[in-house]
Amino acid sequence: MRCLVLSDIHANIDALEAVLDAAPAHETVWNLGDVVGYGAAPNEVIERVRVLGTTFVRGNHDRACGERSSPHLFNPLAARSVLWTRRRLTPAHVGWLQAMAPGPVVPDGPQASCMHGSDRDEDEYLSCLSDAREPLRRARTQINFFGHTHVQGGFALEGGGWRNLAPPYSKGEGVETCKVRLRPDGRYLINPGSVGQPRDHDPRAAFAIFDGEEMTVIFHRVPYDLRRAQLRILHEGLPGQLAARLNAGR
Ligand code: ZN
């Protein structure tokens, strides 16, 4: 089974449409959370993704925008966007966010876990190998997908050695892909990257395709109409930094 793995769309409909256009054939979609927050099209993004699959893991922004936690836990920029998103969301979409399950979730299909931050805390950032050691040792599944850092790649423990999975792209303008073969004896924490607000200095939208038969992950980067996403943010009166950071990819 081939799975399209999405994370951190962050209400960026322009990036999401580009990802769905570019995604190769797949049977299912796994979504690792932060569908909303920061971007200017929360209702449009929820309408588009909610019909794509049944596997959704709640992110910290989904929790706050769905009124399950206080926006004051966030930095001021994120808190402003949570309050704006709450005012914009339809009651049905608030209800959909409230019903999202916190991770880890083990979907039907190939054996893997899906989480937002880590398996024990959706707010925990797994940013470097030392962050990943404990979560990977205690993981119940060999393959574990996570998001939250907005950095594509992840970490592998193979034959007793650790490996960083960040793709070595040329950082060109077009579409780029990077295929990673998963070893039967390896253990993996894999981040598909952020669709709508990458923070790995590459502004292109990120996603991954996981093939459970072939045991491969193909990381993708695709350009999208970034200017359009920025204009939506500015038009809605959201902070200009939220538009500017899309260019910078951070
Ligand atoms: Zn996020």
Side-chain angles (χ1 to χ4, degrees):
M1 184 188 265
R2 278 160 71 88
C3 312
L4 169 61
V5 190
L6 305 177
S7 191
D8 297 282
I9 301 168
H10 280 292
N12 186 338
I13 190 72
D14 303 294
L16 176 62
E17 292 293 0
V19 161
L20 296 177
D21 282 348
H26 52 272
E27 284 84 51
T28 189
V29 179
W30 294 351
N31 196 304
L32 310 180
D34 280 3
V35 171
V36 296
Y38 294 131
N43 289 306
E44 293 87 337
V45 163
I46 290 176
E47 278 302 308
R48 192 76 174 92
V49 295
R50 68 192 298 190
V51 296
L52 293 178
T54 54
T55 299
F56 289 91
V57 176
R58 182 178 76 181
N60 53 321
H61 284 259
D62 302 323
R63 185 185 70 218
C65 294
E67 302 177 22
R68 291 285 198 207
S69 64
S70 165
H72 305 298
L73 298 172
F74 286 91
N75 67 57
L77 194 63
R80 257 183 84 183
S81 95
V82 167
L83 294 171
W84 179 87
T85 305
R86 283 183 178 185
R87 289 196 298 274
R88 271 312 170 91
L89 286 170
T90 66
H93 290 161
V94 172
W96 184 79
L97 289 173
Q98 289 179 345
M100 282 175 112
V105 165
V106 178
D108 291 337
Q111 184 73 11
S113 298
C114 294
M115 60 203 77
H116 184 66
S118 75
D119 57 339
R120 61 182 173 190
D121 183 355
E122 63 205 8
D123 292 82
E124 183 177 5
Y125 288 97
L126 305 183
S127 300
C128 56
L129 272 177
S130 59
D131 297 337
R133 275 199 179 96
E134 269 317 297
L136 197 50
R137 284 215 174 92
R138 65 170 181 260
R140 296 209 184 123
T141 48
Q142 181 202 358
I143 301 162
N144 304 276
F145 288 96
F146 73 105
H148 193 43
T149 62
H150 300 207
V151 174
Q152 191 176 54
F155 313 100
L157 182 56
E158 293 172 331
W162 289 88
R163 183 158 75 98
N164 193 311
L165 300 175
Y169 295 128
S170 67
K171 301 251 168 98
E173 300 282 299
V175 176
E176 279 189 278
T177 62
C178 174
K179 189 175 200 167
V180 175
R181 288 196 181 283
L182 308 179
R183 287 169 36 167
D185 62 334
R187 291 175 70 74
Y188 298 92
L189 268 164
I190 300 167
N191 190 329
S194 169
V195 172
Q197 195 201 73
R199 294 181 196 159
D200 45 12
H201 305 279
D202 184 340
R204 295 173 296 179
F207 67 95
I209 295 282
F210 169 49
D211 189 320
E213 271 112 64
E214 221 182 65
M215 286 292 275
T216 57
V217 170
I218 307 176
F219 293 111
H220 288 69
R221 294 309 275 246
V222 295
Y224 71 97
D225 193 342
L226 201 144
R227 186 70 194 138
R228 196 153 175 233
Q230 291 178 312
L231 288 174
R232 284 183 207 272
I233 287 170
L234 298 172
H235 179 75
E236 293 294 346
L238 281 159
Q241 294 133 282
L242 294 178
R245 73 188 303 178
L246 295 181
N247 256 346
R250 54 185 286 268

Short mmCIF file of all heavy atoms in Angstrom, two decimals, residues 75-137:
data_model
loop_
_atom_site.label_atom_id
_atom_site.label_comp_id
_atom_site.label_asym_id
_atom_site.label_seq_id
_atom_site.Cartn_x
_atom_site.Cartn_y
_atom_site.Cartn_z
N ASN A 75 3.63 31.32 21.54
CA ASN A 75 4.29 32.62 21.43
C ASN A 75 3.27 33.63 20.87
O ASN A 75 2.24 33.23 20.30
CB ASN A 75 5.56 32.52 20.58
CG ASN A 75 5.25 32.21 19.13
OD1 ASN A 75 4.52 32.93 18.46
ND2 ASN A 75 5.80 31.11 18.63
N PRO A 76 3.53 34.94 21.01
CA PRO A 76 2.52 35.94 20.64
C PRO A 76 2.06 35.84 19.18
O PRO A 76 0.87 36.03 18.89
CB PRO A 76 3.23 37.27 20.91
CG PRO A 76 4.28 36.96 21.92
CD PRO A 76 4.70 35.55 21.66
N LEU A 77 2.98 35.55 18.29
CA LEU A 77 2.62 35.44 16.87
C LEU A 77 1.66 34.27 16.63
O LEU A 77 0.62 34.41 15.95
CB LEU A 77 3.92 35.23 16.06
CG LEU A 77 3.85 35.40 14.57
CD1 LEU A 77 3.48 36.83 14.21
CD2 LEU A 77 5.21 35.04 13.95
N ALA A 78 1.99 33.13 17.19
CA ALA A 78 1.13 31.95 17.04
C ALA A 78 -0.20 32.16 17.74
O ALA A 78 -1.26 31.77 17.22
CB ALA A 78 1.85 30.72 17.60
N ALA A 79 -0.18 32.81 18.90
CA ALA A 79 -1.42 33.05 19.65
C ALA A 79 -2.38 33.94 18.84
O ALA A 79 -3.59 33.70 18.79
CB ALA A 79 -1.11 33.70 21.00
N ARG A 80 -1.81 34.95 18.16
CA ARG A 80 -2.66 35.83 17.34
C ARG A 80 -3.33 35.03 16.22
O ARG A 80 -4.50 35.22 15.91
CB ARG A 80 -1.81 36.94 16.71
CG ARG A 80 -1.99 38.26 17.41
CD ARG A 80 -1.19 39.34 16.73
NE ARG A 80 -1.89 39.93 15.59
CZ ARG A 80 -1.35 40.86 14.81
NH1 ARG A 80 -0.14 41.31 15.05
NH2 ARG A 80 -2.05 41.36 13.81
N SER A 81 -2.57 34.14 15.62
CA SER A 81 -3.15 33.36 14.53
C SER A 81 -4.18 32.36 15.05
O SER A 81 -5.17 32.09 14.38
CB SER A 81 -2.05 32.69 13.71
OG SER A 81 -1.82 31.39 14.13
N VAL A 82 -3.98 31.84 16.25
CA VAL A 82 -4.99 30.93 16.84
C VAL A 82 -6.30 31.69 17.05
O VAL A 82 -7.39 31.20 16.69
CB VAL A 82 -4.50 30.33 18.18
CG1 VAL A 82 -5.64 29.67 18.93
CG2 VAL A 82 -3.37 29.32 17.95
N LEU A 83 -6.21 32.88 17.61
CA LEU A 83 -7.43 33.66 17.88
C LEU A 83 -8.13 34.04 16.58
O LEU A 83 -9.36 33.98 16.48
CB LEU A 83 -7.09 34.90 18.72
CG LEU A 83 -6.60 34.57 20.13
CD1 LEU A 83 -6.06 35.83 20.82
CD2 LEU A 83 -7.70 33.93 20.97
N TRP A 84 -7.36 34.41 15.56
CA TRP A 84 -7.95 34.74 14.25
C TRP A 84 -8.63 33.49 13.66
O TRP A 84 -9.75 33.57 13.16
CB TRP A 84 -6.84 35.24 13.30
CG TRP A 84 -7.37 35.57 11.94
CD1 TRP A 84 -7.89 36.75 11.51
CD2 TRP A 84 -7.46 34.66 10.81
NE1 TRP A 84 -8.29 36.65 10.19
CE2 TRP A 84 -8.03 35.37 9.75
CE3 TRP A 84 -7.11 33.32 10.62
CZ2 TRP A 84 -8.27 34.80 8.49
CZ3 TRP A 84 -7.35 32.74 9.37
CH2 TRP A 84 -7.91 33.48 8.33
N THR A 85 -7.94 32.34 13.75
CA THR A 85 -8.49 31.10 13.18
C THR A 85 -9.79 30.71 13.90
O THR A 85 -10.77 30.31 13.25
CB THR A 85 -7.45 29.96 13.27
OG1 THR A 85 -6.24 30.37 12.64
CG2 THR A 85 -7.96 28.69 12.62
N ARG A 86 -9.80 30.84 15.21
CA ARG A 86 -11.03 30.51 15.96
C ARG A 86 -12.22 31.35 15.48
O ARG A 86 -13.33 30.85 15.37
CB ARG A 86 -10.82 30.78 17.45
CG ARG A 86 -10.01 29.72 18.16
CD ARG A 86 -9.94 30.07 19.62
NE ARG A 86 -9.23 29.07 20.40
CZ ARG A 86 -9.12 29.11 21.72
NH1 ARG A 86 -9.66 30.13 22.40
NH2 ARG A 86 -8.48 28.18 22.37
N ARG A 87 -11.97 32.64 15.20
CA ARG A 87 -13.07 33.50 14.73
C ARG A 87 -13.54 33.09 13.35
O ARG A 87 -14.69 33.29 12.99
CB ARG A 87 -12.60 34.97 14.69
CG ARG A 87 -12.41 35.61 16.06
CD ARG A 87 -12.34 37.13 15.98
NE ARG A 87 -11.23 37.61 15.20
CZ ARG A 87 -9.99 37.80 15.66
NH1 ARG A 87 -9.72 37.56 16.94
NH2 ARG A 87 -9.02 38.23 14.88
N ARG A 88 -12.62 32.54 12.53
CA ARG A 88 -12.94 32.22 11.15
C ARG A 88 -13.60 30.85 10.95
O ARG A 88 -14.36 30.64 10.02
CB ARG A 88 -11.66 32.23 10.31
CG ARG A 88 -11.34 33.56 9.73
CD ARG A 88 -12.60 34.10 9.10
NE ARG A 88 -12.44 35.47 8.71
CZ ARG A 88 -12.02 35.86 7.53
NH1 ARG A 88 -11.71 34.98 6.61
NH2 ARG A 88 -11.92 37.13 7.27
N LEU A 89 -13.25 29.88 11.82
CA LEU A 89 -13.70 28.51 11.60
C LEU A 89 -15.22 28.39 11.71
O LEU A 89 -15.84 29.00 12.58
CB LEU A 89 -13.05 27.57 12.62
CG LEU A 89 -11.58 27.25 12.40
CD1 LEU A 89 -11.03 26.51 13.61
CD2 LEU A 89 -11.38 26.42 11.13
N THR A 90 -15.80 27.58 10.83
CA THR A 90 -17.23 27.27 10.95
C THR A 90 -17.42 26.36 12.17
O THR A 90 -16.48 25.63 12.56
CB THR A 90 -17.75 26.54 9.70
OG1 THR A 90 -17.12 25.25 9.66
CG2 THR A 90 -17.46 27.31 8.42
N PRO A 91 -18.61 26.36 12.78
CA PRO A 91 -18.84 25.45 13.92
C PRO A 91 -18.57 23.98 13.56
O PRO A 91 -18.02 23.23 14.38
CB PRO A 91 -20.32 25.67 14.26
CG PRO A 91 -20.61 27.06 13.76
CD PRO A 91 -19.76 27.23 12.52
N ALA A 92 -18.91 23.60 12.35
CA ALA A 92 -18.67 22.19 11.95
C ALA A 92 -17.16 21.90 11.94
O ALA A 92 -16.73 20.80 12.33
CB ALA A 92 -19.27 21.92 10.58
N HIS A 93 -16.37 22.85 11.49
CA HIS A 93 -14.92 22.62 11.44
C HIS A 93 -14.30 22.64 12.83
O HIS A 93 -13.34 21.90 13.08
CB HIS A 93 -14.26 23.64 10.51
CG HIS A 93 -14.61 23.42 9.07
ND1 HIS A 93 -14.47 24.37 8.10
CD2 HIS A 93 -15.11 22.32 8.44
CE1 HIS A 93 -14.85 23.87 6.93
NE2 HIS A 93 -15.25 22.64 7.12
N VAL A 94 -14.84 23.46 13.73
CA VAL A 94 -14.38 23.41 15.12
C VAL A 94 -14.65 22.01 15.69
O VAL A 94 -13.78 21.39 16.32
CB VAL A 94 -15.07 24.49 15.99
CG1 VAL A 94 -14.73 24.29 17.47
CG2 VAL A 94 -14.65 25.88 15.54
N GLY A 95 -15.83 21.49 15.41
CA GLY A 95 -16.19 20.15 15.88
C GLY A 95 -15.27 19.08 15.30
O GLY A 95 -14.86 18.15 16.00
N TRP A 96 -14.91 19.24 14.03
CA TRP A 96 -14.01 18.27 13.38
C TRP A 96 -12.65 18.30 14.06
O TRP A 96 -12.05 17.25 14.33
CB TRP A 96 -13.90 18.60 11.89
CG TRP A 96 -13.08 17.61 11.11
CD1 TRP A 96 -13.48 16.38 10.67
CD2 TRP A 96 -11.72 17.79 10.70
NE1 TRP A 96 -12.43 15.77 10.01
CE2 TRP A 96 -11.35 16.61 10.00
CE3 TRP A 96 -10.78 18.81 10.84
CZ2 TRP A 96 -10.08 16.44 9.46
CZ3 TRP A 96 -9.51 18.63 10.30
CH2 TRP A 96 -9.17 17.47 9.61
N LEU A 97 -12.14 19.49 14.36
CA LEU A 97 -10.85 19.60 15.06
C LEU A 97 -10.93 18.98 16.45
O LEU A 97 -10.00 18.32 16.91
CB LEU A 97 -10.42 21.06 15.17
CG LEU A 97 -9.99 21.75 13.88
CD1 LEU A 97 -9.76 23.24 14.13
CD2 LEU A 97 -8.73 21.13 13.29
N GLN A 98 -12.04 19.21 17.13
CA GLN A 98 -12.19 18.69 18.50
C GLN A 98 -12.23 17.17 18.53
O GLN A 98 -11.87 16.56 19.53
CB GLN A 98 -13.45 19.27 19.14
CG GLN A 98 -13.29 20.75 19.47
CD GLN A 98 -14.52 21.37 20.08
OE1 GLN A 98 -15.60 20.80 20.03
NE2 GLN A 98 -14.35 22.55 20.67
N ALA A 99 -12.67 16.57 17.41
CA ALA A 99 -12.76 15.11 17.37
C ALA A 99 -11.46 14.44 16.95
O ALA A 99 -11.35 13.21 16.98
CB ALA A 99 -13.88 14.70 16.40
N MET A 100 -10.45 15.23 16.57
CA MET A 100 -9.18 14.63 16.13
C MET A 100 -8.51 13.91 17.31
O MET A 100 -8.46 14.44 18.42
CB MET A 100 -8.22 15.71 15.64
CG MET A 100 -8.51 16.22 14.27
SD MET A 100 -7.38 17.59 13.91
CE MET A 100 -6.41 16.85 12.64
N ALA A 101 -7.94 12.73 17.01
CA ALA A 101 -7.29 11.94 18.06
C ALA A 101 -5.86 12.42 18.26
O ALA A 101 -5.15 12.68 17.29
CB ALA A 101 -7.27 10.47 17.65
N PRO A 102 -5.42 12.52 19.53
CA PRO A 102 -3.99 12.75 19.74
C PRO A 102 -3.21 11.48 19.35
O PRO A 102 -3.76 10.37 19.44
CB PRO A 102 -3.88 13.01 21.25
CG PRO A 102 -5.15 12.57 21.85
CD PRO A 102 -6.18 12.41 20.77
N GLY A 103 -1.99 11.63 18.90
CA GLY A 103 -1.19 10.47 18.54
C GLY A 103 -0.65 9.75 19.77
O GLY A 103 -0.85 10.23 20.89
N PRO A 104 0.03 8.64 19.63
CA PRO A 104 0.25 7.98 18.33
C PRO A 104 -0.97 7.17 17.88
O PRO A 104 -1.70 6.62 18.70
CB PRO A 104 1.43 7.05 18.61
CG PRO A 104 1.38 6.79 20.08
CD PRO A 104 0.76 7.99 20.72
N VAL A 105 -1.17 7.15 16.58
CA VAL A 105 -2.24 6.39 15.95
C VAL A 105 -1.57 5.37 15.03
O VAL A 105 -0.62 5.71 14.32
CB VAL A 105 -3.14 7.34 15.12
CG1 VAL A 105 -4.04 6.58 14.17
CG2 VAL A 105 -3.97 8.23 16.05
N VAL A 106 -2.05 4.12 15.07
CA VAL A 106 -1.55 3.09 14.14
C VAL A 106 -2.65 2.84 13.12
O VAL A 106 -3.67 2.24 13.43
CB VAL A 106 -1.18 1.79 14.89
CG1 VAL A 106 -0.71 0.73 13.89
CG2 VAL A 106 -0.09 2.05 15.92
N PRO A 107 -2.47 3.35 11.90
CA PRO A 107 -3.54 3.21 10.90
C PRO A 107 -3.64 1.78 10.38
O PRO A 107 -2.71 0.99 10.56
CB PRO A 107 -3.10 4.14 9.76
CG PRO A 107 -1.83 4.78 10.19
CD PRO A 107 -1.30 4.04 11.38
N ASP A 108 -4.74 1.51 9.68
CA ASP A 108 -4.85 0.24 8.95
C ASP A 108 -3.80 0.26 7.84
O ASP A 108 -3.45 1.31 7.34
CB ASP A 108 -6.24 0.11 8.31
CG ASP A 108 -7.30 -0.08 9.37
OD1 ASP A 108 -6.95 -0.55 10.46
OD2 ASP A 108 -8.47 0.25 9.10
N GLY A 109 -3.35 -0.93 7.46
CA GLY A 109 -2.39 -0.98 6.37
C GLY A 109 -1.02 -1.33 6.88
O GLY A 109 -0.90 -2.03 7.89
N PRO A 110 0.02 -0.85 6.20
CA PRO A 110 1.37 -1.21 6.63
C PRO A 110 1.63 -0.75 8.05
O PRO A 110 1.16 0.30 8.47
CB PRO A 110 2.28 -0.47 5.64
CG PRO A 110 1.42 0.46 4.88
CD PRO A 110 0.00 0.06 5.06
N GLN A 111 2.36 -1.57 8.79
CA GLN A 111 2.58 -1.33 10.22
C GLN A 111 3.45 -0.10 10.43
O GLN A 111 4.64 -0.09 10.09
CB GLN A 111 3.25 -2.58 10.81
CG GLN A 111 3.47 -2.54 12.29
CD GLN A 111 2.18 -2.70 13.09
OE1 GLN A 111 1.13 -3.03 12.54
NE2 GLN A 111 2.24 -2.40 14.38
N ALA A 112 2.86 0.95 10.98
CA ALA A 112 3.60 2.19 11.28
C ALA A 112 2.76 3.01 12.25
O ALA A 112 1.55 2.85 12.31
CB ALA A 112 3.86 2.98 10.01
N SER A 113 3.42 3.89 13.00
CA SER A 113 2.71 4.80 13.90
C SER A 113 2.77 6.21 13.34
O SER A 113 3.74 6.58 12.67
CB SER A 113 3.36 4.81 15.28
OG SER A 113 3.31 3.54 15.87
N CYS A 114 1.71 6.98 13.65
CA CYS A 114 1.64 8.38 13.24
C CYS A 114 1.47 9.24 14.49
O CYS A 114 0.64 8.95 15.34
CB CYS A 114 0.44 8.62 12.32
SG CYS A 114 0.57 7.77 10.74
N MET A 115 2.28 10.30 14.59
CA MET A 115 2.19 11.20 15.74
C MET A 115 2.52 12.61 15.27
O MET A 115 3.08 12.79 14.18
CB MET A 115 3.15 10.75 16.83
CG MET A 115 4.59 10.73 16.39
SD MET A 115 5.63 9.63 17.37
CE MET A 115 5.19 8.03 16.70
N HIS A 116 2.20 13.60 16.12
CA HIS A 116 2.53 14.98 15.73
C HIS A 116 3.93 15.34 16.26
O HIS A 116 4.85 15.53 15.50
CB HIS A 116 1.47 15.96 16.23
CG HIS A 116 1.74 17.35 15.75
ND1 HIS A 116 1.68 17.70 14.42
CD2 HIS A 116 2.11 18.49 16.40
CE1 HIS A 116 2.00 18.98 14.27
NE2 HIS A 116 2.27 19.48 15.46
N GLY A 117 4.07 15.45 17.58
CA GLY A 117 5.37 15.81 18.16
C GLY A 117 6.18 14.56 18.44
O GLY A 117 7.09 14.19 17.71
N SER A 118 5.83 13.86 19.55
CA SER A 118 6.43 12.55 19.83
C SER A 118 5.30 11.64 20.31
O SER A 118 4.16 12.07 20.43
CB SER A 118 7.52 12.67 20.91
OG SER A 118 6.92 12.84 22.19
N ASP A 119 5.65 10.40 20.64
CA ASP A 119 4.61 9.44 21.05
C ASP A 119 4.01 9.79 22.41
O ASP A 119 2.92 9.36 22.73
CB ASP A 119 5.17 8.01 21.06
CG ASP A 119 6.38 7.88 21.96
OD1 ASP A 119 7.04 8.91 22.25
OD2 ASP A 119 6.67 6.75 22.38
N ARG A 120 4.73 10.60 23.21
CA ARG A 120 4.18 10.87 24.54
C ARG A 120 3.68 12.31 24.68
O ARG A 120 3.07 12.66 25.69
CB ARG A 120 5.24 10.59 25.61
CG ARG A 120 6.46 11.45 25.47
CD ARG A 120 7.50 11.12 26.51
NE ARG A 120 8.71 11.87 26.19
CZ ARG A 120 9.88 11.69 26.76
NH1 ARG A 120 10.01 10.77 27.69
NH2 ARG A 120 10.91 12.41 26.42
N ASP A 121 3.98 13.18 23.70
CA ASP A 121 3.64 14.59 23.85
C ASP A 121 3.56 15.25 22.47
O ASP A 121 4.58 15.33 21.77
CB ASP A 121 4.74 15.26 24.70
CG ASP A 121 4.46 16.73 24.98
OD1 ASP A 121 3.47 17.25 24.44
OD2 ASP A 121 5.25 17.33 25.73
N GLU A 122 2.36 15.73 22.12
CA GLU A 122 2.21 16.33 20.79
C GLU A 122 2.94 17.67 20.68
O GLU A 122 3.09 18.20 19.58
CB GLU A 122 0.72 16.48 20.44
CG GLU A 122 -0.05 17.41 21.34
CD GLU A 122 -1.54 17.06 21.38
OE1 GLU A 122 -1.97 16.04 20.84
OE2 GLU A 122 -2.28 17.86 21.98
N ASP A 123 3.41 18.23 21.80
CA ASP A 123 4.16 19.49 21.79
C ASP A 123 5.67 19.28 21.80
O ASP A 123 6.42 20.24 21.81
CB ASP A 123 3.79 20.33 23.02
CG ASP A 123 2.36 20.82 22.95
OD1 ASP A 123 1.45 20.04 23.31
OD2 ASP A 123 2.14 21.94 22.54
N GLU A 124 6.14 18.03 21.84
CA GLU A 124 7.58 17.78 21.94
C GLU A 124 8.24 17.84 20.56
O GLU A 124 7.76 17.24 19.60
CB GLU A 124 7.83 16.40 22.57
CG GLU A 124 9.31 16.10 22.77
CD GLU A 124 9.57 14.76 23.47
OE1 GLU A 124 8.61 14.00 23.71
OE2 GLU A 124 10.75 14.48 23.76
N TYR A 125 9.34 18.59 20.47
CA TYR A 125 10.08 18.71 19.21
C TYR A 125 11.19 17.67 19.15
O TYR A 125 12.04 17.63 20.04
CB TYR A 125 10.73 20.10 19.09
CG TYR A 125 9.74 21.20 18.83
CD1 TYR A 125 9.25 21.99 19.87
CD2 TYR A 125 9.30 21.47 17.54
CE1 TYR A 125 8.34 23.01 19.64
CE2 TYR A 125 8.39 22.49 17.29
CZ TYR A 125 7.92 23.26 18.35
OH TYR A 125 7.03 24.26 18.11
N LEU A 126 11.17 16.85 18.11
CA LEU A 126 12.28 15.91 17.86
C LEU A 126 13.14 16.54 16.77
O LEU A 126 12.94 16.32 15.58
CB LEU A 126 11.74 14.55 17.43
CG LEU A 126 10.74 13.89 18.38
CD1 LEU A 126 10.33 12.51 17.87
CD2 LEU A 126 11.29 13.80 19.80
N SER A 127 14.10 17.38 17.21
CA SER A 127 14.86 18.21 16.26
C SER A 127 16.22 17.62 15.91
O SER A 127 16.77 17.94 14.88
CB SER A 127 15.08 19.61 16.85
OG SER A 127 13.84 20.22 17.11
N CYS A 128 16.76 16.81 16.79
CA CYS A 128 18.10 16.28 16.52
C CYS A 128 18.17 14.84 17.04
O CYS A 128 17.25 14.37 17.71
CB CYS A 128 19.17 17.15 17.17
SG CYS A 128 18.93 17.34 18.94
N LEU A 129 19.27 14.18 16.72
CA LEU A 129 19.41 12.77 17.08
C LEU A 129 19.23 12.52 18.57
O LEU A 129 18.61 11.54 18.98
CB LEU A 129 20.79 12.28 16.66
CG LEU A 129 20.91 11.74 15.24
CD1 LEU A 129 22.36 11.37 14.95
CD2 LEU A 129 20.02 10.53 15.07
N SER A 130 19.74 13.44 19.39
CA SER A 130 19.63 13.20 20.84
C SER A 130 18.17 13.28 21.30
O SER A 130 17.78 12.61 22.24
CB SER A 130 20.53 14.16 21.63
OG SER A 130 20.18 15.48 21.35
N ASP A 131 17.35 14.11 20.61
CA ASP A 131 15.92 14.15 20.93
C ASP A 131 15.23 12.83 20.54
O ASP A 131 14.22 12.45 21.12
CB ASP A 131 15.19 15.26 20.15
CG ASP A 131 15.68 16.65 20.49
OD1 ASP A 131 16.23 16.82 21.59
OD2 ASP A 131 15.50 17.55 19.65
N ALA A 132 15.75 12.20 19.50
CA ALA A 132 15.05 11.06 18.88
C ALA A 132 15.37 9.73 19.55
O ALA A 132 14.63 8.76 19.40
CB ALA A 132 15.40 10.99 17.40
N ARG A 133 16.49 9.67 20.29
CA ARG A 133 16.97 8.38 20.82
C ARG A 133 15.93 7.66 21.65
O ARG A 133 15.57 6.53 21.38
CB ARG A 133 18.22 8.60 21.67
CG ARG A 133 19.44 8.63 20.85
CD ARG A 133 20.72 8.38 21.64
NE ARG A 133 21.79 8.42 20.67
CZ ARG A 133 22.53 9.49 20.43
NH1 ARG A 133 22.35 10.59 21.12
NH2 ARG A 133 23.45 9.47 19.48
N GLU A 134 15.42 8.34 22.68
CA GLU A 134 14.48 7.68 23.60
C GLU A 134 13.17 7.32 22.91
O GLU A 134 12.69 6.19 23.03
CB GLU A 134 14.24 8.56 24.83
CG GLU A 134 15.19 8.29 25.99
CD GLU A 134 15.41 6.81 26.25
OE1 GLU A 134 14.45 6.09 26.58
OE2 GLU A 134 16.56 6.37 26.08
N PRO A 135 12.55 8.30 22.21
CA PRO A 135 11.29 7.96 21.52
C PRO A 135 11.44 6.78 20.56
O PRO A 135 10.54 5.94 20.46
CB PRO A 135 10.94 9.24 20.75
CG PRO A 135 11.61 10.34 21.49
CD PRO A 135 12.88 9.73 22.07
N LEU A 136 12.58 6.69 19.89
CA LEU A 136 12.75 5.59 18.94
C LEU A 136 12.98 4.27 19.66
O LEU A 136 12.48 3.22 19.24
CB LEU A 136 13.90 5.89 17.98
CG LEU A 136 13.92 5.06 16.71
CD1 LEU A 136 12.56 5.06 16.02
CD2 LEU A 136 14.97 5.56 15.76
N ARG A 137 13.69 4.29 20.78
CA ARG A 137 13.92 3.06 21.54
C ARG A 137 12.61 2.50 22.09
O ARG A 137 12.41 1.30 22.12
CB ARG A 137 14.88 3.32 22.70
CG ARG A 137 16.30 3.45 22.23
CD ARG A 137 17.29 2.88 23.23
NE ARG A 137 18.63 2.92 22.64
CZ ARG A 137 19.47 3.94 22.81
NH1 ARG A 137 19.14 4.95 23.56
NH2 ARG A 137 20.65 3.92 22.21
#
